Amino acid sequence: MISNPINQGINGSPNIPGDKSISHRSIIIPSISNGICEIDNILKSEDVNHTLDAFKNMGVKIVEDKSKIIIFGNGLNSLKKPINNIYLGNSGTSARLLTGLLSSQNFQTVLTGDESLQKRPMGRIANPLIEMNAKVETNDGTLPIKINPSRLNPGNIDLKIPSAQIKSGLLLAGLNIDGETKIVENKITRDHTEIMLEAFGAEIEVNNLSNKKLIKITGKKELVSKNILVPNDLSSSAFFIICALINNNSHIILKNINNNPTRNGLILALKKMGAKISILNERLNNKEIICDIEVFSSELRGCELGSDIADLMIDEYPILAIAASFANSPSVFRGLKELKIKESDRLNLILVNLQNCGISCKVVGDDLFIYPSSNYEIKNNVIRTDYDHRIAMAFCIMGTKLGPLEIKDSESIDTSFPTFKKELNSLGGNIS
Ligand code: S3P
């Protein structure tokens, strides 16, 4: 894929797809609930399709039509042993959440994934489950994972790693355990699982203790299905927001975007940088906050972000680094350890690709420093993505300013945003 420079800015209202995190949960939770669930606006992308196929392979009746997916759930213990191993492609969310859910089921399963997913750490979900008596065998801390049936004990977990995937996997395991599982989250992460479980009638209690959270879930209570409208994805919107901010003469409006306070660190960071962004029409849908977002081209300032905000915007650093490259002063983003173990080593790829674009930057420990200039000299216009969708989309946006950039292995964009190129081009982008 080649991302070419644009000179007229981007204008209009892009169609942003449904939220990826909520889409995964919209398949998993109704599949183990009782009743029929109609899901509107689910993200149709490779990652979400892997979760969908997993549940079809475990015997759940799922009907797909053009705009909706309908799931016929039969309760906590209705899943069947799949005939084959469950293949999850590139999807870390599917792998961690399903490891938790399936560890308290009464059949054996094996989870596998693509080359990149097979390198990602799975001990972080397997180990707390093993402490709860789960019979989970990893391949030296990675996929494939073999999950043998076992009777789990309720957990008492002090979650040191800030990860919604681990938290969610443990909550899903807890649904089928006799007794109360307690999780202390030392850093708050996205809470879509808690919100949806509560809406489906789970016995779940969430207590906020200054910057920490105590979550209690009592298992063996059957869930009741409800319909779900998936809001549009703020993480996918981010590419358009920054494209509009850094290109003159831009004005865009993004509609029906999820603005969950455990996810919207990017908006807070951009406002700190002086971005002209307005949050409009805030409303609630099943306890998820939805809004419209209006963005104008802006003169950005650099900023310092502490590690406290990192968990509220962990997926947005690749694109935030592009914004920082066009600010009028340096930026430092601290505490980015988790970025090293995403779909790629994102911290390293941000650094290497920014440097190839002629931008002065450095990583010290887990902190990223960016020193913008008003004139960049491209050193190498081939962008290495290691099949990471967010690196590919972020550097497509870089190309609108410094292109042409050749984005390698850009087919990874299909994991989260298959219509990205079409949408950007329809607003004034020039991706070929
Ligand atoms: C996700 C949680 C985050 C995020 C990922 C989606 C989720 O991962 O990076 O894209 O849906 O729970 P971690 O839990 O590993 O931080």
Side-chain angles (χ1 to χ4, degrees):
M1 177 183 269
I2 309 285
S3 177
N4 299 295
I6 58 175
N7 37 33
Q8 284 305 315
I10 57 165
N11 284 277
S13 194
N15 293 308
I16 300 296
D19 185 86
K20 182 153 81 72
S21 294
I22 298 178
S23 292
H24 284 297
R25 287 148 175 89
S26 298
I27 298 164
I28 297 171
I29 295 173
S31 291
I32 48 154
S33 299
N34 289 282
I36 300 172
C37 171
E38 284 191 14
I39 309 158
D40 216 340
N41 197 44
I42 193 162
L43 168 65
K44 297 204 165 159
S45 77
E46 283 178 5
D47 274 14
V48 176
N49 280 341
H50 287 302
T51 297
L52 203 60
D53 287 344
F55 284 91
K56 285 183 185 165
N57 290 334
M58 289 189 283
V60 179
K61 182 178 166 195
I62 301 180
V63 176
E64 294 180 62
D65 79 13
K66 257 201 206 113
S67 62
K68 284 191 183 170
I69 287 186
I70 304 158
I71 297 186
F72 298 78
N74 279 312
L76 281 177
N77 287 300
S78 63
L79 301 178
K80 307 265 178 321
K81 179 177 166 44
I83 295 166
N84 298 313
N85 294 350
I86 295 181
Y87 177 74
L88 299 169
N90 195 245
S91 181
T93 304
S94 314
R96 271 71 175 249
L97 270 59
L98 289 191
T99 302
L101 177 81
L102 297 176
S103 67
S104 59
Q105 291 286 324
N106 61 4
F107 52 83
Q108 189 194 67
T109 32
V110 176
L111 305 181
T112 68
D114 70 9
E115 216 181 294
S116 149
L117 190 60
Q118 286 195 36
K119 290 190 191 126
R120 296 183 65 189
M122 295 295 153
R124 48 177 51 205
I125 178 66
N127 294 337
L129 290 167
I130 290 166
E131 271 178 40
M132 292 156 69
N133 199 37
K135 302 283 180 272
V136 174
E137 295 165 27
T138 67
N139 176 22
D140 209 10
T142 58
L143 291 177
I145 292 182
K146 190 194 259 185
I147 303 166
N148 296 302
S150 167
R151 206 183 151 84
L152 270 66
N153 303 320
N156 201 341
I157 301 137
D158 190 24
L159 206 57
K160 295 282 188 249
I161 304 173
S163 165
Q165 294 179 352
I166 306 177
K167 171 181 64 177
S168 301
L170 296 172
L171 287 172
L172 293 170
L175 283 174
N176 211 10
I177 300 174
D178 261 322
E180 185 181 79
T181 290
K182 290 194 194 94
I183 303 171
V184 172
E185 200 183 28
N186 287 290
K187 284 178 132 198
I188 289 174
T189 64
R190 66 190 70 191
D191 62 358
H192 307 302
T193 307
E194 296 93 301
I195 290 178
M196 198 177 288
L197 284 177
E198 201 187 324
F200 276 60
E203 212 169 312
I204 182 168
E205 195 187 308
V206 180
N207 294 297
N208 287 306
L209 329 156
S210 74
N211 241 352
K212 282 189 186 188
K213 228 161 120 174
L214 169 64
I215 311 167
K216 296 179 192 163
I217 188 152
T218 304
K220 298 289 180 194
K221 169 136 196 278
E222 287 291 340
L223 308 181
V224 182
S225 239
K226 336 172 53 165
N227 292 341
I228 299 171
L229 171 62
V230 180
N232 293 333
D233 197 322
L234 180 60
S235 298
S236 299
S237 309
F239 303 103
F240 287 80
I241 294 175
I242 276 117
C243 188
L245 290 172
I246 63 176
N247 282 289
N248 288 336
N249 304 316
S250 296
H251 173 211
I252 60 169
I253 297 188
L254 303 126
K255 298 264 175 66
N256 304 328
I257 310 300
N258 185 223
N259 193 26
N260 181 316
T262 61
R263 272 288 283 287
N264 68 358
L266 177 77
I267 304 288
L268 309 179
L270 289 173
K271 286 202 165 158
K272 208 170 159 185
M273 294 171 81
K276 287 187 213 154
I277 294 185
S278 310
I279 303 294
L280 310 169
N281 305 323
E282 272 204 303
R283 56 214 183 263
L284 270 184
N285 178 293
N286 264 340
K287 300 225 175 123
E288 288 284 355
I289 301 174
I290 303 182
C291 69
D292 303 331
I293 303 178
E294 184 172 30
V295 188
F296 291 92
S297 319
S298 305
E299 163 98 19
L300 296 176
R301 309 183 272 279
C303 77
E304 174 164 358
L305 299 179
S307 60
D308 49 318
I309 200 172
D311 311 313
L312 309 182
M313 53 176 296
I314 194 67
D315 290 340
E316 277 61 80
Y317 284 98
I319 188 63
L320 186 70
I322 308 299
S325 302
F326 298 98
N328 58 16
S329 56
S331 289
V332 49
F333 306 141
R334 299 194 188 278
L336 305 185
K337 189 171 169 210
E338 284 290 306
L339 270 195
K340 299 177 185 172
I341 48 165
K342 292 291 175 188
E343 285 84 329
S344 67
D345 177 345
R346 284 189 178 153
L347 194 51
N348 182 47
L349 284 187
I350 292 171
L351 184 77
V352 168
N353 288 316
L354 286 184
Q355 285 173 341
N356 281 337
C357 291
I359 292 148
S360 169
C361 55
K362 64 180 182 190
V363 169
V364 179
D366 300 329
D367 302 340
L368 171 67
F369 296 75
I370 298 176
Y371 305 96
S373 127
S374 53
N375 197 5
Y376 291 124
E377 201 180 309
I378 297 278
K379 298 202 171 91
N380 176 357
N381 77 340
V382 179
I383 300 298
R384 181 180 138 204
T385 69
D386 293 358
Y387 291 93
D388 184 324
H389 56 136
R390 297 202 199 279
I391 296 288
M393 288 186 276
F395 280 87
C396 270
I397 302 306
M398 178 66 102
T400 65
K401 294 285 283 183
L402 300 184
L405 295 180
E406 182 187 342
I407 316 292
K408 282 284 186 203
D409 308 315
S410 57
E411 59 272 25
S412 63
I413 292 174
D414 288 348
T415 61
S416 70
F417 198 164
T419 53
F420 172 75
K421 172 180 158 194
K422 176 174 145 256
E423 290 299 324
L424 192 60
N425 283 350
S426 75
L427 264 64
N430 183 0
I431 312 247
S432 50

